[in-house]
Amino acid sequence: MAKEVAILGVGMHPWGKWGKNFVEYGIKACNDALDDAGLEWQDIEVVAGAETVRNAYAGYVAGATFAEALGWSGARVSTSYAACASGSQAINNARAMILADMADVVLVVGADTTPKGFLAPNAGERWTDPDWLRFRLMGCTNPTYFALYARRRMDLYGATEADFAAVKVKNARHGMANPNARYHKEFTQEQVLESPMVADPLRLLEICATSDGAAAVVVSSMEYARKRNVDPVKIRAVSTVTPVYPQSTVEMPYFSTDSAAAVPAPALDFKESIAHAAYEEAGLGPEDMSLAEVYDLSSALELDWCENIGLCPKGDAEKLLRDGDTTLGGRIPINASGGLACFGEAVPAQALAQICELTWQLRGQAGGRQVEGAKAGITANLGLFGHGSSVICSV
Amino acid sequence: MSETKIAPSIEGWYTTGENPELLGTRCKWCGSYFFPKQETFCRNPSCRSTEFEEIPLSREGTIWSYTEHFYSPPEPYIFTEPFEPYIIVAVELEKEKMIVLGQAAQGVKSEELSTGQKVELVVEPLYEQEGTQYTVWKWTPVAG
């Protein structure tokens, strides 16, 4: 219990393709989070930024960029880059400083402006960079990986294209009640299955887009929160573990796995280990969770996550879906926010957006997408190069 | 008419000829295989080896999964217009206990593939640029 920190405020800029500078989005999210916390910018001791690699130098030094934009106040800054888990690492920096008594109150922010289409590697010839080589040597895109996992679910567990479409239908419905989502449109299974095939068996409507967006979270020590007479949502765990050798699942951006010839593969694969570490740290288990926000880069990937975060044994996620357990009103709603299906990915903001959603849900402020009586929730995400994260929050 | 030169799209990653093989390395201390080649440090956390030998990988493996692509990927992928859909196959190598991705050979149809199926390595053209045809390794179902 000693490792808890308080979430005092959350804020987001709606996801979309707004064509503005990422700093504008971030400032909106920061100001909303400060208002939500009842704090002024000058109260903040540290700014922990999540880096964007697609917006030049200002993006590389995101912490300082936002500190300058809000008005230099002497606050300390840090910037984290961990691909899709960047926001969680920024949260973890904030938490570490609070728990080490180096700060009482920290502003965490991530924002992005993204290009259209497939996420492509950075420009230039880089013959030793697997992220460059995978495109050059075989045209291996991000949806390639999502499709490989999806096909394997079909062949191993009997998943169907209709199941994958049902995930999209569910998340699209959830997102209708989320003002920060980019897409507010319901789909039928037929409409999803009629959308163009991108990477067989995944279709256009089942693969997440790239978006602009921003999310911010104000975190503080529990003592600071008590002094302000608030009973905050608490961060109980932040897992940012890396894989254990040999990593024997195909993961972005690699086009080969480690060899398990000399060292046997670990009992838990990488995605399982991310959630496992979070549960261990929180002293909670999957049975304690009221909801989960997981990284549905594709509709099929949500099914993998259901198993990876321990909601059901491997191969049973389709049953969970078909029984309605993962729909709002079900036993354990997944992606009540609408998930990436309704947001599209804004890399440095996405892990923070998941935390914003848990916070609103656990406060009972999620409006038309409220999970009734939510007590605890878990996030899970995964990025390139051995990055991933899982955050557990509770009332 | 000028003759088209043939060159690998990346040097030293595979052999050519009738029975081409991927070239990886094996750690001389712990026996771990690596592809692409690992030559200066071992990624096994319990091994500090600096000694590696180049070793050809198994030519045959079984399909772990596969997917056909219907949209042209971004640069640096190079393709000759018009864009043709292509298949990517993830192949498990039994001896090396690892998975290696690659495109499926020309003419292979998605319907012919299934998880667990046996495939073998071939070297085929990937793209043509300034009179040179660049090759890459690909996977094709084992005949018979």
Side-chain angles (χ1 to χ4, degrees):
Chain A
M1 292 293 159
K3 282 189 176 174
E4 290 173 356
V5 294
I7 296 178
L8 292 187
V10 290
M12 286 169 69
H13 183 288
W15 264 228
K17 283 281 187 190
W18 309 106
K20 294 183 189 167
N21 189 294
F22 76 100
V23 183
E24 278 188 53
Y25 310 139
I27 292 302
K28 196 265 184 198
C30 287
N31 284 329
D32 283 5
L34 289 166
D35 288 347
D36 189 39
L39 292 172
E40 294 299 326
W41 155 236
Q42 287 90 342
D43 297 324
I44 296 295
E45 297 165 17
V46 182
V47 180
E51 173 177 345
T52 163
V53 293
R54 294 173 204 282
N55 292 276
Y57 214 111
Y60 304 151
V61 294
T65 295
F66 289 111
E68 183 190 26
L70 289 160
W72 290 124
S73 64
R76 296 175 191 231
V77 296
S78 76
T79 300
S80 302
Y81 191 66
C84 305
S86 299
S88 299
Q89 291 214 349
I91 280 278
N92 209 31
N93 274 357
R95 184 177 75 139
M97 291 190 79
I98 291 166
L99 293 177
D101 266 336
M102 294 167 71
D104 287 318
V105 59
V106 182
L107 173 65
V108 186
V109 55
D112 209 1
T113 301
T114 53
K116 196 173 181 285
F118 285 122
L119 282 181
N122 292 340
E125 296 216 340
R126 293 193 313 283
W127 291 94
T128 57
D129 176 1
D131 194 35
W132 187 85
L133 285 167
R134 65 173 168 131
F135 285 91
R136 181 56 159 257
L137 297 176
M138 60 185 84
C140 186
T141 64
N142 292 359
T144 303
Y145 297 88
F146 316 151
L148 290 173
Y149 307 145
R151 170 62 61 189
R152 207 165 152 76
R153 282 205 79 82
M154 295 174 87
D155 287 3
L156 258 57
Y157 307 137
T160 64
E161 289 194 46
D163 288 326
F164 303 153
V167 173
K168 172 70 180 190
V169 170
K170 167 182 76 74
N171 289 346
R173 191 172 304 142
H174 288 175
M176 293 294 285
N178 193 340
N180 288 309
R182 173 176 172 187
Y183 302 108
H184 297 101
K185 186 169 191 260
E186 287 211 58
F187 292 98
T188 64
Q189 244 169 321
E190 292 69 32
Q191 286 170 321
V192 177
L193 291 171
E194 279 165 10
S195 68
M197 193 67 91
V198 173
D200 176 43
L202 296 175
R203 293 169 185 276
L204 191 60
L205 286 173
E206 295 174 321
I207 294 171
C208 100
T210 60
S211 292
D212 299 357
V217 182
V218 175
V219 288
S220 79
S221 64
M222 291 304 295
E223 194 185 342
Y224 187 94
R226 265 192 297 275
K227 279 184 188 158
R228 296 182 62 79
N229 288 319
V230 288
D231 181 16
V233 168
K234 302 179 257 304
I235 295 179
R236 302 282 297 269
V238 182
S239 162
T240 55
V241 295
T242 51
V244 172
Y245 182 89
Q247 193 183 4
S248 48
T249 312
V250 182
E251 297 282 7
M252 288 190 285
Y254 305 105
F255 41 87
S256 60
T257 63
D258 290 336
S259 156
V263 181
L268 296 178
D269 77 20
F270 180 41
K271 278 159 68 208
E272 291 168 331
S273 72
I274 294 168
H276 180 78
Y279 288 130
E280 289 274 294
E281 191 172 292
L284 297 170
E287 66 284 358
D288 299 313
M289 297 299 115
S290 318
L291 75 155
E293 286 285 309
V294 304
Y295 229 52
D296 57 323
L297 292 163
S298 82
S299 58
L301 201 62
E302 181 176 301
L303 299 169
D304 287 346
W305 277 118
C306 289
E307 298 160 7
N308 298 145
I309 65 171
L311 301 183
C312 63
K314 274 190 177 152
D316 283 4
E318 285 77 11
K319 184 176 185 322
L320 222 58
L321 170 76
R322 292 169 193 160
D323 290 351
D325 287 4
T326 60
T327 306
L328 266 175
R331 181 168 69 80
I332 170 90
I334 308 287
N335 288 329
S337 67
L340 292 172
C342 295
F343 275 76
E345 191 180 18
V347 173
Q350 212 66 47
L352 295 174
Q354 291 181 319
I355 296 169
C356 290
E357 179 66 12
L358 289 193
T359 303
W360 282 315
Q361 291 283 354
L362 295 170
R363 287 175 178 171
Q365 295 175 340
R369 62 182 196 284
Q370 181 65 45
V371 175
E372 289 308 320
K375 295 281 188 291
I378 183 169
T379 74
N381 90 356
L382 190 74
L384 298 183
F385 291 113
H387 289 114
S389 69
S390 177
V391 174
I392 292 176
C393 297
S394 74
V395 291
Chain B
M1 202 176 115
S2 67
E3 212 169 293
T4 307
K5 282 183 293 185
I6 295 175
S9 54
I10 187 160
E11 290 286 344
W13 282 37
Y14 54 88
T15 64
T16 53
E18 201 174 327
N19 292 307
E21 291 167 318
L22 290 172
L23 295 174
T25 53
R26 185 167 57 185
C27 172
K28 283 189 175 177
W29 294 14
C30 75
S32 289
Y33 292 90
F34 295 100
F35 178 81
K37 291 174 194 170
Q38 189 76 30
E39 290 170 304
T40 51
F41 51 87
C42 187
R43 295 210 312 267
N44 173 354
S46 309
C47 181
R48 287 195 182 184
S49 170
T50 54
E51 297 180 294
F52 298 83
E53 57 184 336
E54 185 178 281
I55 193 162
L57 303 185
S58 304
R59 288 197 63 249
E60 291 193 2
T62 54
I63 294 182
W64 184 82
S65 192
Y66 59 97
T67 171
E68 182 165 13
H69 286 53
F70 294 89
Y71 284 82
S72 59
E75 289 178 1
Y77 187 66
I78 302 169
F79 63 93
T80 314
E81 297 280 1
F83 170 78
E84 294 279 345
Y86 59 97
I87 298 169
I88 289 185
V89 192
V91 177
E92 271 184 302
L93 306 181
E94 193 184 354
K95 186 179 76 174
E96 294 83 359
K97 290 192 165 51
M98 66 194 294
I99 297 172
V100 179
L101 271 57
Q103 285 193 359
Q106 280 168 357
V108 174
K109 300 261 183 286
S110 198
E111 307 83 75
E112 299 167 35
L113 303 177
S114 60
T115 298
Q117 187 180 0
K118 267 202 167 6
V119 288
E120 65 176 336
L121 196 85
V122 292
V123 168
E124 283 192 352
L126 179 66
Y127 61 91
E128 209 171 300
Q129 214 172 35
E130 290 165 9
T132 302
Q133 192 171 71
Y134 290 91
T135 63
V136 77
W137 77 89
K138 296 187 184 180
W139 299 102
T140 197
V142 175

